[in-house]
């Protein structure tokens, strides 16, 4: 007869540190790196087995690797790159050979290089008027981008936020007043109008307006005629690659190369990263954040908690209900979310041959952003179809083929493509659900057919594919309703109103709890800026506390 040992119940463990960061996405890693560099004992906890959040690279078909969700580089802030010495930790960013390529029909396409003369020549095929207006449009967008870049690294002033917020507000007001009136008008238009109305002031061709309007609906569940989309257009003009404004790039090894470099930078500065550690709740004691309780019951006690979780999820899932006044809690949990986005990765046996630009040998347009969205009207219809039927009957597709400039991603002679697709409803109508695999497969088939209409060999070259619906994006990466920005970039959710009016300075309504993710200013994209700014405010607060004790 054998006897079995009765194991003693697992006793939750408690660890103490200065700061705990919830979520090892890129902003969480940035915050952790800056806090550790300031001498704080910092722990970053990540629920997945790999850090990086939505900016990760993985093998999705044997021998084929690609960026899973986030897929291109331009908005990554140069200060973050330099401060964290990301190149020292292996980050290499190469430039796309051209900006974008739009197949229009069987004969016509719009291929946009980076230089002004080349873009004017391309646009002239559709409108000489628009080609002549391009230089002035570029100048206006650059002026708008410079204004907004100046705001990126600033902490927004809070309504009734005390002396520091008042001073920040006065400084901002002074800067705005000093702007020329033309610049003030431009900023007003960009912040309040629709992309369709804004672009209509400059261009006449529906193809040309559609090309520029694409950036206004990237990650926005909206049509170009929706007020506020002019700002989304501007948001995608902030960027630069290797010091070149407006240039798009690719991280060798995929987007995971960025976050792996950030993780190494954080650890080199003393931060500890714990993977496979989901957070059950924020620990609140004496009315302030005192750490986190992990899914396994362990506690990490800390002086400050920095959350890289979307505000909607933070206050609905992790912050105890009684810790926040109900009306204020409703504002956080009621943030507008949803990007209308569906992500696909495909492994290809050869490059697509477009009817308007044939050939399976690598050409510049294969290395550009390939956009199926040939007119402003096409973009409009895609949104309204999704609102009515659950997805666009003719989807908008941005396809990148990073293996044309990065041979680490696919076997020789083969390729990988990222497809960023809009529009889909975050929640399907009529009782349908993204949990149904048939819905995902049916929409993915429609996307493949859409690309194949312009590149007849595309469907037959697909070796395998990876599909991510809005629900997948939420469950895997914590993007509420699949929102890649952690909250829509609408006027009522920007700057001092992001995430909620009165809490735009990264300090949440519970003392000791901070927001360091894309739900804070300046919003989404792989920028590292919310993480940078939140870390700065945390360090300032801890220095003030030390000063008071002294």
């Amino acid at each position: 007869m054998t006897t079995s040992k009765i194991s003693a119940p697992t006793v939750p463990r408690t660890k103490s540190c200065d700061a705990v960061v919830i979520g090892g996405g890129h902003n969480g890693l940035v915050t952790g790196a800056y806090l550790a560099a300031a001498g704080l004992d910092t722990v970053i906890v990540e629920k997945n087995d790999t850090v990086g959040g939505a900016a990760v690279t993985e093998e999705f078909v044997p021998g084929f690797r690609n960026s899973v969700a986030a897929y291109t580089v331009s908005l990554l802030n140069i200060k973050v790159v330099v401060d964290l010495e990301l190149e020292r930790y292996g980050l290499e960013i190469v430039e796309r050979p051209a900006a974008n390529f739009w197949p229009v029909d069987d004969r016509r396409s719009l291929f946009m290089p980076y230089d002004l003369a080349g873009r004017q020549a391309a646009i002239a095929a559709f409108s000489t008027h628009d080609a002549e207006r391009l230089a002035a449009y570029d100048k206006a967008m650059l002026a708008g981008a410079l204004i907004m870049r100046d705001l990126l690294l600033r902490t927004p002033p809070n309504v009734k936020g005390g002396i520091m917020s008042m001073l920040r507000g006065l400084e901002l007001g002074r800067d705005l007043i000093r702007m020329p009136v033309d610049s003030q008008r431009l900023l007003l238009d960009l912040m309040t109008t629709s992309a369709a109305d804004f672009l209509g002031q400059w261009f006449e061709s529906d193809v040309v307006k559609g090309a520029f309007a694409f950036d206004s609906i990237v990650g926005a569940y909206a049509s170009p005629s929706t007020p506020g989309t002019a700002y989304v257009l501007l948001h995608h003009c902030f960027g630069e690659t290797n010091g070149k404004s407006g240039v798009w790039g690719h991280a060798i090894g995929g987007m995971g190369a960025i976050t792996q470099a950030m993780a190494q930078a954080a650890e080199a500065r003393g931060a500890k990263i714990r993977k496979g550690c989901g957070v059950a709740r924020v620990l609140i004691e004496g009315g302030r954040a005192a750490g986190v309780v992990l899914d396994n019951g362990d506690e990490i006690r800390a002086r400050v908690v920095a959350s890289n979780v979307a505000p909607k999820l933070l206050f609905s899932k992790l912050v105890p209900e009684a810790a926040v006044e109900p009306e204020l809690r409703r504002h956080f949990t009621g943030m507008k979310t949803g990007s209308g986005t569906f992500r696909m990765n495909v492994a290809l046996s050869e490059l697509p041959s477009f009817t308007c630009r044939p050939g399976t040998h690598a050409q510049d347009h294969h290395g550009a952003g390939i956009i199926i969205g040939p007119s402003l009207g096409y973009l409009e219809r895609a949104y309204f179809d999704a609102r009515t039927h659950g997805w666009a009957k003719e989807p908008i597709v941005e396809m990148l083929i990073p293996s044309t400039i990065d041979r680490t991603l696919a076997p020789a002679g083969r390729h990988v493509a990222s497809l960023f697709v809009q529009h889909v409803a975050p929640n399907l109508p009529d009782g349908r659900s993204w949990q149904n695999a048939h819905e995902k497969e049916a929409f993915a088939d429609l996307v493949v057919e859409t690309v194949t209409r312009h590149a007849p060999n595309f469907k037959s070259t697909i070796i395998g594919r990876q599909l991510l619906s809005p629900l997948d994006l939420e469950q895997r990466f914590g993007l509420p309703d699949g929102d890649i920005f952690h909250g829509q970039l609408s006027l009522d959710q920007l700057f001092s109103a992001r995430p909620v009016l009165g809490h735009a300075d990264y300090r949440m309504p519970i003392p000791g709890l901070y927001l360091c993710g894309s739900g804070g200013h300046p919003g989404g994209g792989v920028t590292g800026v919310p993480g940078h700014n939140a870390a700065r405010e945390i360090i300032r607060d801890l220095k003030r506390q030390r000063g008071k004790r002294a």
Side-chain angles (χ1 to χ4, degrees), residues 295-307:
D295 286 340
N296 65 1
D298 289 355
E299 291 183 0
I300 301 178
R301 305 183 72 82
R303 296 160 63 194
V304 297
V305 177
S307 173

Side-chain angles (χ1 to χ4, degrees), residues 217-406:
I217 55 95
V218 168
Y221 190 36
S223 79
S225 62
T226 303
T229 48
Y231 172 77
V232 183
L233 171 64
L234 179 64
H235 186 85
H236 288 95
C237 295
F238 292 167
E240 59 182 333
T241 297
N242 297 333
K244 298 178 182 178
S245 180
V247 173
W248 293 88
H250 168 77
I252 296 297
M255 297 298 285
I258 298 174
T259 50
Q260 289 303 309
M262 288 175 170
Q264 291 181 54
E267 289 179 323
R269 287 156 175 75
K272 302 171 188 68
I273 300 174
R274 294 182 58 178
K275 294 174 279 190
C277 290
V279 171
R281 60 185 171 89
V282 176
L283 190 62
I284 308 293
E285 292 182 354
R288 65 175 292 117
V292 297
V293 179
L294 303 180
D295 286 340
N296 65 1
D298 289 355
E299 291 183 0
I300 301 178
R301 305 183 72 82
R303 296 160 63 194
V304 297
V305 177
S307 173
N308 189 29
V309 177
K312 192 172 191 175
L313 297 182
L314 173 64
F315 284 90
S316 64
K317 303 291 186 184
L318 302 184
V319 172
E321 189 171 348
V324 180
E325 185 269 327
E327 185 63 15
L328 181 56
R329 181 187 183 86
R330 185 183 65 79
H331 282 291
F332 281 102
T333 60
M335 274 191 79
K336 293 183 295 185
T337 54
S339 290
T341 299
F342 190 97
R343 267 292 274 122
M344 295 175 61
N345 288 310
V346 294
L348 301 173
S349 61
E350 66 179 11
L351 290 172
S353 177
F354 293 90
T355 306
C356 59
R357 282 205 174 203
T360 58
H361 59 287
Q363 302 170 65
D364 279 353
H365 68 274
H366 287 120
I370 301 166
I371 301 170
I372 310 298
S375 68
L376 189 63
Y378 186 105
L379 306 187
E380 289 280 340
R381 291 191 299 274
Y383 170 70
F384 289 106
D385 277 354
R387 290 297 300 260
T388 303
H389 306 292
W391 60 57
K393 296 176 182 176
E394 295 181 302
I396 304 160
V397 182
E398 181 180 23
M399 180 167 65
L400 299 185
I401 311 176
S403 50
T404 58
I405 51 178
D406 182 355

Side-chain angles (χ1 to χ4, degrees), residues 156-172:
N158 261 343
V159 176
K160 296 183 179 179
I163 186 66
M164 292 306 297
S165 281
M166 184 176 71
L167 291 174
R168 284 195 293 266
L170 289 172
E171 181 184 11
L172 176 61

